[in-house]
Amino acid sequence: MRSVLCYGDSNTYGQTTANTPDDRYPPDVRWPGVLRSLLGDEWLVIEEGLSGRCTVNDDPIEGADKNGRTYLRPCIMSHKPLDLVIIMLGTNDLKSRFHKSTSEIAMGVGALVADIKAMPAGVGGGTPEILIVAPPPVAADLKEWQDVFEGAQQKSAQFAHYFERTAEAHEVHFFDAGLIVSSSAEDGFHLDIADHRKLGHAIYEEIQAIGWPAGPLE
């Protein structure tokens, strides 16, 4: 059985776009769950999404547990060996309190990739495949979140450009989620149910395209 770790923020966690009692889509609705159903029994899909997670920063308001870099190593070491790690982060780095450019956000993703490559986290002590997913741009109308994400529209529109450059520099896989999904008009930065389904199918196609060795797994 191969294994894939889905490492992300609220859009990997499955945060809903509407105010519901648990504020989370069911397991089979969020995109890692859709991916699980498509990959079948030959893959273990590990969900590691956290609402508010940043790339490499503690959040001065929401806390140090939102730092994606701090948690990455123990997370990966607890789930190894891994065949693939998918990173979809960056949206929370757009918050105005971090004062980051898009290129700096992409550099944070690059730091996570470098950390993964420095760990013996793959099968046989090797390096797992890594897929960087650029989140879709935030919506023009961010509702009550406008002040929190001041200037985020312009920055997030550059996600694909800078994230792809990061992927090329680190020689890992890249996918632009903005090609197939959009941030919901409900709140401006989460995915609705239909787009979770679309994203799950798109990630499945990206995984198939990697070209895994045929035959029994070592």
Side-chain angles (χ1 to χ4, degrees):
M1 178 181 286
R2 299 192 189 277
S3 59
V4 51
L5 174 69
C6 304
Y7 195 71
D9 53 28
S10 56
N11 276 325
T12 298
Y13 172 83
Q15 187 80 24
T16 65
T17 60
N19 184 22
T20 58
D22 56 7
D23 292 321
R24 190 181 192 186
Y25 295 124
D28 61 336
V29 171
R30 45 192 189 254
W31 75 260
V34 175
L35 178 63
R36 182 183 301 112
S37 68
L38 293 169
L39 289 172
D41 295 338
E42 295 182 358
W43 280 83
L44 173 65
V45 178
I46 304 163
E47 297 185 53
E48 282 287 357
L50 175 67
S51 295
R53 177 177 281 151
C54 302
T55 54
V56 296
N57 291 93
D58 294 353
D59 191 311
I61 295 176
E62 297 185 40
D65 58 341
K66 304 300 184 180
N67 189 325
R69 192 173 196 177
T70 302
Y71 182 65
L72 179 65
R73 184 177 180 84
C75 174
I76 285 184
M77 297 305 281
S78 68
H79 292 301
K80 72 173 190 176
L82 294 164
D83 293 277
L84 171 64
V85 179
I86 300 173
I87 302 173
M88 188 170 79
L89 288 170
T91 301
N92 289 296
D93 293 64
L94 295 167
K95 293 172 180 175
S96 56
R97 57 179 171 266
F98 294 115
H99 307 288
K100 286 186 180 182
S101 66
T102 315
S103 62
E104 289 173 319
I105 296 172
M107 289 170 64
V109 174
L112 299 181
V113 171
D115 288 350
I116 295 169
K117 288 190 169 186
M119 290 181 252
V123 177
T127 302
E129 298 286 339
I130 300 170
L131 171 63
I132 294 175
V133 178
V138 300
D141 184 2
L142 284 163
K143 309 297 182 180
E144 68 268 24
W145 297 92
Q146 185 62 50
D147 289 342
V148 174
F149 286 98
E150 184 177 0
Q153 289 90 346
Q154 181 179 0
K155 292 179 181 179
S156 64
Q158 300 174 327
F159 269 163
H161 172 71
Y162 285 103
F163 281 38
E164 185 171 21
R165 286 177 56 181
T166 296
E168 290 173 351
H170 288 273
E171 298 182 315
V172 298
H173 307 284
F174 170 76
F175 178 68
D176 176 14
L179 293 175
I180 59 155
V181 299
S182 302
S183 295
S184 173
E186 291 275 349
D187 59 18
F189 60 103
H190 287 125
L191 301 178
D192 62 20
I193 291 174
D195 277 347
H196 269 275
R197 187 179 305 111
K198 290 178 185 177
L199 184 57
H201 278 264
I203 297 296
Y204 170 76
E205 295 295 335
E206 292 298 311
I207 291 175
Q208 296 299 101
I210 289 175
W212 304 95
L217 300 179
E218 296 292 331

